[in-house]
Amino acid sequence: MSNKLVFGALSAALCLTACATTPPPAAPAVRLNENPYPSTYVRYPGVLTVIRHATVFTGDGGQINDGTVVFGNGVIQAVGGPGLPSPAGALEINGTGKFVSPGIIDIHSHLGVYPSPGVEANSDGNELTDPIHADVWAEHSVWPQDPGFSRALVNGGVTTMQILPGSGDLMGGRSVVLKNVPGRTVQEMKFPGAPYGLKMACGENPKRVFGSHDHMPQTRMGNIALDRETWAKAVAYKHEWDKYYAKGGDMPKRDLTMDTLKGVLEGRILIQNHCYRADEMAQMIDMSKEFGYHITAFHHAVEAYKIADLLRDNDICAVMWADWYGFKMEAYDAIPQNIALVHNAGACAMVHSDDPNGIQRLNQAAAKAMAVGQRAGIPGLSEAVAWEWLSRNPAKALGILGVTGTLTAGKAADVVMWNGDPFSDYSRPERVWIDGAEMYDANDPHKRPVSDFELGQPGEGDVK
């Protein structure tokens, strides 16, 4: 056999050997659907509108006396003084003696998951079967017919709200941001593009709920240990999926709890953390740095004044009551100047309700916080500045400041016209618009939203 033939035979043999040991190419990665329950919200119809001669709070610290607001096609078109021209065909509203503001945003509500009537059959905000429940989503419990939604609109001027799970778990599940409009389904109310939140909780609630059981957590150190164990798993889970997306192959096994935490680690889901005490907030910040995520806001935060600089330096908002505290030990060391002091330190401060009645009076809560701060000598606390606590800052903490929260050209026309100074106990919303659609008019009985539930049941003798 010639050398050429021998060389050819050896080459063929080597090729066969190599082909037999080279693995087949990995299957391409298939990306998961990160938004399986998308918003189906469609804005209600509105008309081109001009409000003139009102006192305007812009929501970002500005005030315009004898101001003009122009909106149409769902958005703010212009905000300015009395010389601002009116577009042709616009509806003109005389706002003399009235005040105009952005719609109020309540970042902490349980409407829909703890609706009225408040009975056990409707109580769906806490999944208390395990301290870690990042797998549950608040929107799957929201009852759109909750009468509380319309109460918040007509009495409180609330146009947007975040619905949160309860605080019985260390990780209570995903929140959902809603527009305060009538809807048959929660998807028809969902704020398009608003990020999800993950509700976490510190302190007394998780250890109280699970402390009688024969497992963790029974202590605050147990709270942190279980959180850390869960985040360590989440980091490893994310690494598996990152590797799969980069190289393909076999898809990792799905875990719905870890899906939510992976979203947090990727910055798609915002941490909304129930936490009262300053020392615990500081520990949660340290833990977030250990595992590489960011805390968006501490809710209730009655001791935020003690660490206002820490909140500012870590770009964390404080969500606070004006004067609701002392009802349990971790809520004991509060002061009424809390909101004003956090604001004065340059941190992101805001008011919230956590209550179906309080959500109807958030403007009064801001007024109380402002007045107490002024009496304490804290500078710069005007009504215009205090309105940031009601709209701009909540929008920031919900990741929607780019589209709502201030009366700025191009943003959503979420507008309230008050019948007097909204920082007065005697003032109420007179007209409310969401995306430029008038959802409430105190002088028009046809523009007062009523839940189907409140229409009642047909009585005896009625047509059925």
Side-chain angles (χ1 to χ4, degrees), residues 74 90 129 143 291 338 373 393 447:
T129 51
W143 185 41
F291 293 102
N338 192 21
N393 291 353
K447 290 186 178 177

Side-chain angles (χ1 to χ4, degrees), residues 67-79:
T68 304
V69 180
V70 183
F71 54 92
N73 295 320
V75 299
I76 302 293
Q77 297 192 352
V79 179

Side-chain angles (χ1 to χ4, degrees), residues 132-198:
I132 302 295
H133 262 306
D135 53 336
V136 301
W137 298 24
E139 67 194 77
H140 298 148
S141 282
V142 170
W143 185 41
Q145 294 183 47
D146 183 358
F149 290 125
S150 61
R151 299 291 191 277
L153 179 79
V154 305
N155 295 330
V158 175
T159 56
T160 302
M161 66 198 77
Q162 177 176 226
I163 308 303
L164 290 152
S167 54
D169 298 330
L170 289 170
M171 298 181 182
R174 295 197 195 193
S175 67
V176 62
V177 180
L178 303 181
K179 288 179 176 284
N180 195 7
V181 297
R184 298 165 300 169
T185 68
V186 69
Q187 276 71 32
E188 292 180 349
M189 302 173 71
K190 280 179 73 171
F191 197 115
Y196 284 110
L198 170 62

Side-chain angles (χ1 to χ4, degrees), residues 5-27:
L5 290 173
V6 170
F7 179 76
L10 286 171
S11 297
L14 287 171
C15 178
L16 287 171
T17 303
C19 292
T21 58
T22 301

Side-chain angles (χ1 to χ4, degrees), residues 233-281:
K233 291 177 183 177
V235 170
Y237 183 79
K238 179 179 180 296
H239 177 72
E240 285 184 46
W241 280 92
D242 289 345
K243 181 178 178 182
Y244 166 71
Y245 284 142
K247 299 183 178 180
D250 294 333
M251 180 183 286
K253 183 179 178 182
R254 289 284 303 279
D255 183 311
L256 296 183
T257 288
M258 293 296 133
D259 279 353
T260 294
L261 301 185
K262 174 175 170 288
V264 173
L265 295 170
E266 293 170 345
R268 294 183 292 103
I269 298 175
L270 310 180
I271 292 288
Q272 308 286 351
N273 202 151
H274 162 118
C275 214
Y276 288 75
R277 284 181 8 187
D279 60 314
E280 291 190 272
M281 288 185 259

Side-chain angles (χ1 to χ4, degrees), residues 57-61 101-106 159 349-351 384 386-398 400-401 404-407 411 414:
F57 296 136
T58 59
D60 53 6
S101 74
I104 291 177
I105 299 173
D106 189 2
T159 56
M350 70 198 75
V351 297
W387 202 271
E388 295 179 16
W389 307 338
L390 292 162
S391 62
R392 181 200 178 276
N393 291 353
K396 176 184 184 293
L398 292 176
I400 55 175
L401 182 56
T404 191
T406 64
L407 298 181
K411 288 191 178 183
D414 297 336

Side-chain angles (χ1 to χ4, degrees), residues 106-108 299-300 319-322 350-354 358 362 365:
D106 189 2
I107 193 173
H108 192 118
H299 291 236
H300 309 330
V319 181
M320 297 163 282
W321 294 295
M350 70 198 75
V351 297
H352 72 311
S353 74
D354 190 33
L362 286 171

